[in-house]
Amino acid sequence: MKKEEDKELKQLMQDIKRTLSQKEYSISYNCKLGLQVEKLLKKLIGEELTLPTDIRLVAKKLGLQVREKNMNLHFNCICGTKEHFNVRVGKFIVRKDVYTDLIEKKICIDILLHPTMKRYAIAYGIAQFLFFESESLLNNNENFNDFYGEDYFAMPMSPKSLNEITLDILAMFLLIPIEPFFMEYAKYVEIQKDFYMSTENWIEYLAEKVNLSVYHTACGHQNLMKIAYWIYQAHTAVDEAALKKIRMTKREQRNIKENTKYFEEKMVEIMFIVKHETIN
């Protein structure tokens, strides 16, 4: 049974590696990646995904060590005043131990980070690992070279490459998987059905549930809204003409529907249809 589980996990990793190697940026691509990450999480930590994701357990299950240390020692007090810089929050490292020859895979995060930022830093490190695997840089032969991922920072003003955008999206899928996102929204609508609802209130509610900052939650939410649109299209497109109009293949539609069976009529109603009452 263990061998079969390992084989399934390896296949999931291969699927994610293939998707990441495509290096696209579209709703279709993001949806495919999100569903694959969700499958990986279910295999690692259980079929019934709940929020918040136990991100340290995910790292452990993938064989990644999480190390906390001061990553900003050179940002010292100068002449009695604190100099404020964009601080490092984490780094992914793969290296061969010089004494044991064993390969270590580590996510280093800054020890002084807020707990919510630590969660994001670990998720980003896992994303770097998955991306690293997709580049096929890791091997166990004599030609192995240590690999040090790029530092990631508390507040990058702009990504330097498409890879950074992909890594951020991947990290958010780990922290806010698609199915739990929909299920939590359904709960929120039920709780708030007799009260005023707003995007701001919903994101604040979600941020508390996923144990992330409002900023990172809002970033993840923006991408998940696009995924919701694509899943909705897959469930409501009734013929080839409708699929052609949105540029979705039959195979993609079938895959989405198979992996989002929870997206039933009631879900469509609360996600996309708003009942307006006439005001006299």
Side-chain angles (χ1 to χ4, degrees):
M1 187 66 181
K2 182 69 165 61
K3 277 189 176 182
E4 189 176 329
E5 289 179 355
D6 289 343
K7 185 178 179 181
E8 289 177 8
L9 181 59
K10 187 175 181 180
Q11 184 58 55
L12 286 171
M13 294 286 288
Q14 290 291 336
D15 291 342
I16 291 173
K17 286 163 66 172
R18 276 194 294 271
T19 300
L20 288 171
S21 66
Q22 294 170 10
K23 296 184 178 180
E24 294 182 24
Y25 186 65
S26 65
I27 297 177
S28 174
Y29 172 84
N30 287 347
C31 186
K32 181 179 180 180
L33 181 60
L35 293 174
Q36 289 175 339
V37 171
E38 187 168 272
K39 282 184 179 180
L40 178 64
L41 287 173
K42 288 181 177 181
K43 180 58 62 178
L44 292 172
I45 58 177
E47 286 292 323
E48 296 296 325
L49 296 179
T50 57
L51 299 177
T53 301
D54 189 339
I55 203 65
R56 288 180 183 266
L57 179 59
V58 174
K60 183 179 178 180
K61 293 282 188 176
L62 287 171
L64 303 173
Q65 303 174 48
V66 177
R67 295 285 182 266
E68 296 189 26
K69 64 178 185 178
N70 191 328
M71 300 187 69
N72 299 280
L73 286 171
H74 64 289
F75 293 161
N76 296 322
C77 294
I78 301 174
C79 300
T81 61
K82 179 72 175 177
E83 293 291 327
H84 296 283
F85 294 90
N86 193 3
V87 298
R88 294 181 181 87
V89 299
K91 189 182 190 75
F92 169 63
I93 299 171
V94 181
R95 59 180 291 275
K96 183 180 285 188
D97 189 284
V98 293
Y99 299 106
T100 65
D101 276 345
L102 295 175
I103 293 175
E104 297 178 337
K105 294 172 284 186
K106 297 190 295 186
I107 299 169
C108 297
I109 62 172
D110 189 67
I111 196 169
L112 300 177
L113 294 175
H114 187 278
T116 58
M117 192 62 185
K118 285 182 180 180
R119 285 176 48 74
Y120 174 78
I122 294 169
Y124 196 93
I126 295 172
Q128 282 191 319
F129 163 70
L130 293 172
F131 199 87
F132 169 82
E133 286 283 282
S134 76
E135 296 286 287
S136 299
L137 296 173
L138 181 58
N139 58 70
N140 293 302
N141 59 35
E142 294 178 359
N143 297 320
F144 174 81
N145 294 313
D146 292 351
F147 174 79
Y148 296 83
E150 290 190 15
D151 293 329
Y152 41 107
F153 295 85
M155 189 177 174
M157 293 304 295
S158 174
K160 292 183 289 185
S161 67
L162 190 59
N163 289 351
E164 288 190 11
I165 296 175
T166 302
L167 287 170
D168 189 58
I169 290 170
L170 185 49
M172 295 314 301
F173 279 139
L174 290 163
L175 293 163
I176 316 177
I178 296 171
E179 183 176 349
F181 168 75
F182 280 117
M183 296 300 101
E184 201 58 56
Y185 184 75
K187 290 179 187 176
Y188 175 77
V189 170
E190 183 62 27
I191 292 169
Q192 294 290 116
K193 64 183 180 181
D194 296 324
F195 303 94
Y196 172 75
M197 287 188 284
S198 70
T199 305
E200 291 82 0
N201 291 342
W202 155 236
I203 290 177
E204 287 177 3
Y205 169 92
L206 183 62
E208 186 175 335
K209 289 294 181 180
V210 298
N211 197 13
L212 288 173
S213 68
V214 171
Y215 166 75
H216 282 118
T217 304
C219 290
H221 181 268
Q222 189 69 17
N223 189 55
L224 284 161
M225 283 176 61
K226 298 170 186 174
I227 305 302
Y229 159 80
W230 203 238
I231 292 173
Y232 167 73
Q233 294 296 339
H235 280 268
T236 56
V238 294
D239 52 33
E240 286 190 34
L243 289 173
K244 186 177 181 180
K245 186 177 180 180
I246 60 173
R247 298 180 182 179
M248 180 184 291
T249 65
K250 281 186 175 182
R251 182 179 178 181
E252 183 178 10
Q253 182 189 38
R254 184 168 60 252
N255 180 60
I256 292 173
K257 292 178 76 171
E258 285 176 357
N259 288 284
T260 58
K261 292 179 180 177
Y262 55 85
F263 201 90
E264 55 192 15
E265 188 177 340
K266 184 180 178 182
M267 184 65 71
V268 172
E269 183 180 344
I270 65 171
M271 290 295 292
F272 302 100
I273 301 173
V274 180
K275 182 180 179 182
H276 295 278
E277 294 182 1
T278 303
I279 300 176
N280 296 319

